[in-house]
Amino acid sequence: MSEAIIKVQGLVKEYSTTTALDNVNAEIQKGEVVAVIGPSGSGKSTFLRCLNLLEEPTSGHIFFEGSDITDPKNDINKLRQRMGMVFQQFNLFPHMTVMQNLTLAPMKLQGKTKQQAEEKAVELLKRVGLDDRADSYPNQLSGGQKQRIAIVRALCMEPDVMLFDEPTSALDPEMVGEVLEVMQDLAKENMTMVVVTHEMGFAREVATRVIFMENGRIVEENEPKEFFDTPKSKRLQEFLEKVL
Amino acid sequence: MYLDLQSFRDDFYLNFIKNDRYIYLVKGLKVTLKVTFFALLVGLAIGVFIAIVRSSYDKTHTTKYSSPLHCFLQILLSIANFLCNIYLTVIRGTPSTVQLMIIYFVIFGSVNIDKSIVAICAFGINSGAYVAEIVRSGIMSVDNGQFEAGRSLGFGYVPTMWYIILPQAFKNVLPALGNEVIVLLKETSISGYIALEDLTMGANIIRGQTYSAFLPLFAAAFIYLVIVMALSAGVKKLEQNARSNER
């Protein structure tokens, strides 16, 4: 395929008592949708959070578009502008309206005018069907709406890759669909995505590759069809039996 | 006390009208308000700065930094945090009256300086210690996810603090800050120790001239009470506005 947009080499993350990531190597190509699954405590969220340095790796290297983000010489704030992140708990800014949430970073960081930032925001809001909620405050929205807004907030920075940390895990079941739909649309537009998820349906239907992690290691990775139909490792077979 | 209305009138005339003695209260009130207002500004500036230093230290002192620059900043932060802790301990551990007198008679002892400026410094420095802890608790009360959201968009540490954390922190501690303003206002009544003619001192001067304690002191107390009630109402209004934004 094309060039790797993210390249992870020998990534280790140790906490005082545990090893969350144990020598992880991975490559993510442009346009790929990579689903990362695994039991809780397997290190999948830590892995994702290392990709934009929300967690500082203990050792190892992470290259994003050719620059080593673990190298302090590289300005992580600049690099993060090109990596959107969506959190399990949405983390919208509660003291701002939806529109202010969406335009803050483009105006302050990319030097866009209010008008430019709002035009872009409205265009994206329309795509997720929430253009009528621009003046609402986050607390006035449902969980599904909040998460769609959070996705739009990340998209407003026009990132090259989107990182999703269990984006549907905090949602009521009937709201999971609307968020997955937005993510599916994104995937269709060839956005590069890394998605930590428990939604096996999403992993199977939308992902171009699935990674299974356990105990801080990547145990198995494959294209979704083979991954789910003919899992090789015993551990993955057990895991899939339990969740499917 | 007052056995009839006439003796009250006489006393009122003696304490406030005769020789325009009410002027002492008016001038005193102006000084009290001026000192309170500017001391509040000084206290807020000191308090927010210290709160940021202390909460930054709490949040980051366990992380490992690889680069020399980060290492240097971390050492700087540790020193700043240490100095802030000393300041908090000393200011909160000694009476404000003693602090006021030290600043006037020792630190500014040999210079001729406007007493109200001394009072503003003293009360500002004193209040800063309390504001610092209030604001710090506000910063700590904001969910860490807010911080991560800001950083993940590409904001640096300070802009994340400024645009995202501090506005929420202030909203959370508005009642406590309002209370601090009220405490500060009443605290300025010790200004008489450096012979600054604030409201309390004004009342006391009248008492000294008329040998009548009841009316001047109750008048001063009443004025403080009215201001405090107005402040409380103002804070309540601010709080309601802040909350209505979110619902």
Side-chain angles (χ1 to χ4, degrees):
Chain A
M1 261 172 101
S2 52
E3 83 273 31
I5 191 164
I6 295 176
K7 198 174 185 177
V8 179
Q9 287 179 345
L11 183 61
V12 175
K13 174 68 184 177
E14 285 169 349
Y15 295 108
S16 48
T17 52
T18 51
T19 302
L21 293 176
D22 185 4
N23 191 26
V24 172
N25 296 287
E27 271 190 25
I28 288 145
Q29 314 293 330
K30 214 167 170 13
E32 262 194 309
V33 177
V34 177
V36 183
I37 65 171
S40 54
S42 59
K44 53 194 193 303
S45 271
T46 309
F47 170 69
L48 189 81
R49 291 159 56 82
C50 278
L51 295 183
N52 69 351
L53 228 58
L54 281 184
E55 300 283 348
E56 291 227 12
T58 309
S59 65
H61 295 279
I62 300 160
F63 295 91
F64 171 60
E65 295 179 338
S67 359
D68 185 354
I69 68 166
T70 59
D71 183 347
K73 279 203 237 39
N74 289 318
D75 184 356
I76 185 62
N77 295 330
K78 277 266 177 291
L79 295 171
R80 279 186 184 135
Q81 292 180 26
R82 305 206 303 268
M83 320 171 94
M85 179 134 186
V86 175
F87 299 87
Q88 184 178 353
Q89 298 295 338
F90 328 130
N91 295 344
L92 292 176
F93 307 134
H95 60 301
M96 299 178 185
T97 64
V98 165
M99 186 51 86
Q100 288 167 334
N101 265 278
L102 303 184
T103 54
L104 179 73
M107 281 163 59
K108 301 290 176 194
L109 297 172
Q110 294 179 328
K112 285 190 181 174
T113 64
K114 190 161 186 260
Q115 202 196 343
Q116 289 170 327
E118 287 188 349
E119 267 170 27
K120 177 85 190 163
V122 168
E123 175 201 323
L124 288 165
L125 279 176
K126 276 189 185 139
R127 266 173 39 189
V128 301
L130 288 173
D131 48 318
D132 56 332
R133 304 315 298 266
D135 296 323
S136 305
Y137 281 86
N139 287 3
Q140 299 165 326
L141 304 174
S142 73
Q145 290 174 330
K146 281 184 200 173
Q147 195 59 300
R148 284 187 279 160
I149 297 294
I151 294 172
V152 170
R153 180 174 69 181
L155 289 176
C156 277
M157 291 296 283
E158 298 170 325
D160 298 338
V161 55
M162 287 282 286
L163 310 174
F164 293 84
D165 190 4
E166 303 195 21
T168 57
S169 298
L171 295 175
D172 290 341
E174 78 262 32
M175 292 171 181
V176 169
E178 62 191 66
V179 171
L180 290 182
E181 219 170 278
V182 170
M183 293 168 64
Q184 197 161 359
D185 287 347
L186 262 185
K188 274 188 204 139
E189 290 160 29
N190 284 326
M191 173 63 81
T192 311
M193 296 161 66
V194 185
V195 186
V196 171
T197 186
H198 294 292
E199 296 293 329
M200 295 305 144
F202 177 83
R204 186 195 276 268
E205 304 301 328
V206 182
T208 54
R209 183 154 58 105
V210 187
I211 290 178
F212 176 66
M213 285 185 76
E214 189 180 42
N215 293 330
R217 290 164 179 273
I218 293 179
V219 176
E220 189 166 338
E221 57 182 307
N222 215 331
E223 285 177 10
K225 194 165 171 14
E226 287 78 29
F227 183 93
F228 286 105
D229 294 346
T230 54
K232 291 184 196 78
S233 63
K234 190 156 187 308
R235 189 58 195 97
L236 177 56
Q237 288 164 9
E238 286 168 8
F239 179 78
L240 290 177
E241 258 167 46
K242 273 186 207 144
V243 297
L244 289 182
Chain B
M1 203 73 44
Y2 300 110
L3 293 176
D4 57 75
L5 197 61
Q6 190 55 43
S7 67
F8 177 80
R9 272 195 194 149
D10 291 347
D11 207 30
F12 190 90
Y13 176 78
L14 175 70
N15 282 298
F16 300 132
I17 313 295
K18 198 179 174 196
N19 296 342
D20 284 340
R21 290 198 171 108
Y22 73 93
I23 295 282
Y24 287 114
L25 292 182
V26 173
K27 280 191 174 160
L29 176 60
K30 277 188 195 157
V31 171
T32 292
L33 291 178
K34 182 174 94 175
V35 169
T36 304
F37 178 74
F38 287 105
L40 178 68
L41 293 188
V42 173
L44 275 177
I46 295 176
V48 170
F49 175 77
I50 291 182
I52 291 176
V53 168
R54 298 236 306 146
S55 54
S56 302
Y57 177 80
D58 287 348
K59 270 186 192 170
T60 58
H61 77 283
T62 48
T63 48
K64 277 181 277 177
Y65 285 97
S66 33
S67 79
L69 178 69
H70 273 150
C71 209
F72 175 71
L73 287 176
Q74 201 62 29
I75 291 168
L76 216 60
L77 188 60
S78 300
I79 296 171
N81 182 60
F82 179 71
L83 293 177
C84 288
N85 277 333
I86 292 180
Y87 166 83
L88 292 180
T89 309
V90 170
I91 295 298
R92 293 196 299 169
T94 54
S96 47
T97 317
V98 179
Q99 292 165 16
L100 176 67
M101 290 167 73
I102 287 176
I103 290 180
Y104 182 63
F105 292 110
V106 180
I107 296 173
F108 290 118
S110 55
V111 276
N112 190 10
I113 188 170
D114 186 348
K115 288 189 190 109
S116 54
I117 292 178
V118 176
I120 288 168
C121 289
F123 292 119
I125 290 170
N126 181 273
S127 182
Y130 295 93
V131 172
E133 289 302 87
I134 292 171
V135 174
R136 188 172 75 101
S137 75
I139 292 174
M140 292 315 224
S141 74
V142 177
D143 181 53
N144 201 40
Q146 292 290 311
F147 201 80
E148 292 185 343
R151 296 307 303 270
S152 78
L153 285 168
F155 284 107
Y157 187 92
V158 174
T160 305
M161 263 297 173
W162 189 253
Y163 294 123
I164 295 158
I165 306 298
L166 279 180
Q168 299 182 55
F170 265 103
K171 194 178 284 186
N172 291 346
V173 298
L174 210 52
L177 274 181
N179 192 47
E180 174 58 24
V181 178
I182 288 168
V183 169
L184 178 61
L185 171 81
K186 293 185 293 177
E187 193 92 329
T188 60
S189 66
I190 60 169
S191 296
Y193 277 94
I194 60 167
L196 173 64
E197 291 179 15
D198 71 324
L199 180 57
T200 306
M201 186 69 170
N204 208 29
I205 290 172
I206 298 175
R207 186 187 62 84
Q209 291 181 356
T210 61
Y211 298 104
S212 160
F214 182 86
L215 270 185
L217 294 181
F218 268 82
F222 180 72
I223 296 171
Y224 280 115
L225 184 63
V226 169
I227 302 172
V228 167
M229 285 166 69
L231 280 174
S232 304
V235 170
K236 206 168 180 185
K237 191 97 190 114
L238 269 178
E239 256 178 79
Q240 282 168 349
N241 283 350
R243 298 258 166 269
S244 69
N245 266 355
E246 286 184 11
R247 303 278 134 91

